[in-house]
Amino acid sequence: MPAAAVLAIAMPGALWWSSATPAVLDTPWWVALLIGLVVLFHVLARLVRAPRPGLQQVPAERLRSALVSASGDGVVPPDPQVRTTAGVTACQRVEAAVYAVAATVGMVLAWLLVAEPSWVWWVLVIAGLAVISLVRARHSWAYLRVLERAG
């Protein structure tokens, strides 16, 4: 995914370049560079995302039940509104997990390139968020596999 590559490669490269060139830190251009990379990430993420229906109003408990039960018993809900909303939510959670892992890789690379001890806390925070995203995506990934088999 191109957007994940921006998080994993371009962001650490930009941070390394800005820290290796002290004159850059005296200007607002390094902030503009980081903001530009974030905008590039969002644009690429939007461009490569497959079209999907919009989210419909479904009670949170029914949505959670659909995602969890599909991973347990392998059955998608019979209600098309719940099935569609659960599918869209599952796609969003899987994408978020991919981006969180890419951001973690990017932070680890940045930490290794810049060699700032204070960055350990940022790496731990981003890694913690990635673990949360991966745990949330577990049921979503299972739901998407069951939905694909149900055809």
Side-chain angles (χ1 to χ4, degrees):
M1 295 177 111
V6 168
L7 288 176
I9 298 167
M11 286 296 251
L15 291 171
W16 172 77
W17 176 74
S18 66
S19 69
T21 318
V24 172
L25 296 176
D26 294 336
T27 67
W29 291 111
W30 71 275
V31 176
L33 174 66
L34 293 180
I35 291 171
L37 287 173
V38 169
V39 169
L40 177 64
F41 160 74
H42 284 291
V43 167
L44 288 174
R46 182 66 73 167
L47 287 175
V48 300
R49 181 182 303 160
R52 60 179 77 133
L55 287 173
Q56 301 170 359
Q57 289 293 78
V58 172
E61 183 57 36
R62 289 184 67 194
L63 182 61
R64 189 183 75 70
S65 174
L67 292 172
V68 172
S69 68
S71 65
D73 58 10
V75 177
V76 293
D79 182 7
Q81 185 176 9
V82 174
R83 187 172 46 241
T84 302
T85 302
V88 170
T89 302
C91 287
Q92 290 173 341
R93 288 182 181 178
V94 169
E95 284 176 352
V98 169
Y99 294 144
V101 168
T104 302
V105 169
M107 283 301 294
V108 168
L109 288 175
W111 176 53
L112 293 173
L113 290 171
V114 176
E116 286 287 330
S118 61
W119 282 46
V120 171
W121 298 110
W122 287 108
V123 170
L124 292 175
V125 167
I126 298 293
L129 293 174
V131 167
I132 291 169
S133 291
L134 288 171
V135 167
R136 287 183 57 142
R138 183 175 45 107
H139 292 300
S140 298
W141 190 254
Y143 181 85
L144 290 174
R145 282 192 311 244
V146 170
L147 187 63
E148 182 181 30
R149 275 187 261 140

